[in-house]
Amino acid sequence: MREPTIFHQIEDIYYPVLAVLGILVNSVAIVILSQGKCGLSKCITHYLVAMAVADLLVVFTDVILFTVIPYHFPGTYLETTPALSLLLVLLSAATDISVWFTITFTFDRFVAICCHKMKTKYCTEKTAAVVIMTVSVFFCLKNIPWYFIYEPEYIIDNVPWGGIESLSYYTEAAWAAFHSLSIILTPFLPFVLILLLNALTVRHILVASRIRRKLLDHSKSENHTDPEMENRRKSIILLFTISGSFILLWMTNVAFFLHWRISNLGYYTDPHDPVYITEQSGYMLQLLSTCTNTCIYAVTQTKFREQLKNAVKYPFTAIVKLVK
């Protein structure tokens, strides 16, 4: 049994609430975006739906199966060694896919805004489908080795229970290389790519805006509205809020890992240890990122808000019609 510290009590409330919220908001996002009535291109819609599905998978695997059920319903078959091993593969793959769908979306918007020659060939529904499938297959295959990391803690009636990391995980060079590759792919390389792509996008926007402003100033037309810049502005707001949210919510986890590796802190000794609290807080914020995108759509996309309002009103209007 865990020691009933204040932080553990917060976790026991936080994770079930996050599970319910994550299922609700991502399911709503999938349904609304899939209808294609939000004024977004099919290419963008493909990426956003894929991101919502990946986030929903993270909620199921990491929040519900790996965290909530073991905490609140101990002793289930999810705690057998094969189940733990399979669950580690699934949640690792879901996390990687969720993160890299954010990267693919960011790159797609970078191409659309900054690379006009590539835009017509790359920013298409077909390309989005190929990219989404490729990323999904790659990370599913990449995470298979995690299945072999655990050894059973004990065996009851020939059934292996629990999971402890095998000795080879700490001694073999292959495991060390695999662990380093996993850390690089998620989240360090995504952090670098998002910051780089957004920096290049901002630079391009500033230059293009300056040029277009000069052209409008020299124009004799009284109508200075610029539909292209308005559409670009909406796309930029969506891009920056999604990527900015990712960076903010993963920052604690990344900063902790870097400090832990550089300072060689070792593992925590008790649940009151600041190292433990910092690590778990970063983990909690990381999982919160699975619920933020729907809120971002609702804030930044007018037509998404309209569809959301219609979805909320629908049960009440249906009841009114039945009564009449």
Side-chain angles (χ1 to χ4, degrees):
M1 294 293 291
R2 296 185 307 164
E3 183 180 342
T5 64
I6 295 176
F7 187 78
H8 281 157
Q9 291 174 2
I10 293 173
E11 284 184 314
D12 290 341
I13 298 173
Y14 176 82
Y15 286 115
V17 171
L18 184 66
V20 174
L21 184 63
I23 292 174
L24 178 63
V25 298
N26 285 299
S27 299
V28 168
I30 292 169
V31 171
I32 292 178
L33 291 169
S34 298
Q35 293 176 353
K37 298 179 181 179
C38 296
L40 300 170
S41 68
K42 291 183 178 180
C43 176
I44 295 177
T45 301
H46 265 49
Y47 283 115
L48 297 184
V49 171
M51 290 162 65
V53 171
D55 287 342
L56 187 60
L57 290 175
V58 174
V59 172
F60 272 117
T61 56
D62 208 340
V63 180
I64 297 176
L65 298 181
F66 192 74
T67 306
V68 173
I69 292 179
Y71 283 177
H72 295 277
F73 305 98
T76 67
Y77 279 98
L78 286 174
E79 295 181 36
T80 60
T81 307
L84 280 174
S85 301
L86 179 60
L87 186 56
L88 181 60
V89 173
L90 294 176
L91 72 86
S92 299
T95 300
D96 285 346
I97 291 169
S98 175
V99 169
W100 278 89
F101 279 171
T102 303
I103 305 302
T104 57
F105 171 74
T106 303
F107 182 74
D108 178 86
R109 292 300 85 203
F110 166 76
V111 171
I113 295 170
C114 304
C115 308
H116 292 289
K117 292 183 179 179
M118 288 179 58
K119 179 180 178 180
T120 54
K121 294 183 179 180
Y122 184 83
C123 301
T124 63
E125 184 179 3
K126 182 178 179 180
T127 301
V130 171
V131 170
I132 290 167
M133 183 60 66
T134 302
V135 169
S136 301
V137 172
F138 173 78
F139 282 106
C140 285
L141 294 176
K142 172 256 174 188
N143 284 287
I144 289 176
W146 288 121
Y147 185 85
F148 304 99
I149 189 177
Y150 284 143
E151 292 180 349
E153 288 187 72
Y154 47 89
I155 297 176
I156 300 176
D157 296 331
N158 293 323
V159 177
W161 288 84
I164 55 174
E165 295 165 350
S166 62
L167 183 62
S168 62
Y169 177 71
Y170 297 99
T171 58
E172 293 184 4
W175 274 117
F178 176 72
H179 183 261
S180 298
L181 176 65
S182 298
I183 294 298
I184 291 171
L185 287 176
T186 305
F188 288 106
L189 184 56
F191 250 65
V192 173
L193 289 176
I194 284 181
L195 291 173
L196 176 62
L197 291 172
N198 283 344
L200 293 173
T201 303
V202 169
R203 179 179 175 275
H204 177 85
I205 291 167
L206 292 175
V207 173
S209 299
R210 195 178 301 120
I211 294 172
R212 293 184 72 85
R213 194 177 296 114
K214 289 181 179 178
L215 291 174
L216 287 173
D217 290 340
H218 286 86
S219 175
K220 295 181 180 179
S221 172
E222 294 182 358
N223 184 12
H224 287 272
T225 58
D226 192 346
E228 181 178 340
M229 291 300 294
E230 181 63 22
N231 291 333
R232 185 177 295 180
R233 184 184 68 83
K234 293 179 180 179
S235 181
I236 291 165
I237 290 173
L238 181 61
L239 166 64
F240 286 175
T241 49
I242 289 177
S243 55
S245 171
F246 169 80
I247 290 172
L248 288 173
L249 292 175
W250 276 77
M251 188 176 294
T252 302
N253 207 353
V254 172
F256 170 81
F257 179 82
L258 288 173
H259 181 62
W260 177 69
R261 275 299 180 94
I262 294 171
S263 303
N264 195 22
L265 292 174
Y267 293 98
Y268 65 90
T269 55
D270 66 75
H272 301 281
D273 194 320
V275 175
Y276 170 79
I277 295 174
T278 303
E279 180 186 24
Q280 294 303 311
S281 297
Y283 183 59
M284 292 164 73
L285 289 173
Q286 171 192 321
L287 291 176
L288 182 61
S289 66
T290 60
C291 302
T292 55
N293 284 349
T294 302
C295 299
I296 290 171
Y297 307 150
V299 171
T300 62
Q301 303 296 308
T302 304
K303 291 187 177 180
F304 184 91
R305 286 199 301 273
E306 293 175 356
Q307 294 298 317
L308 183 59
K309 290 178 182 177
N310 291 337
V312 173
K313 292 178 182 177
Y314 178 78
F316 300 101
T317 54
I319 292 172
V320 171
K321 290 180 179 179
L322 287 174
V323 171
K324 290 182 177 180

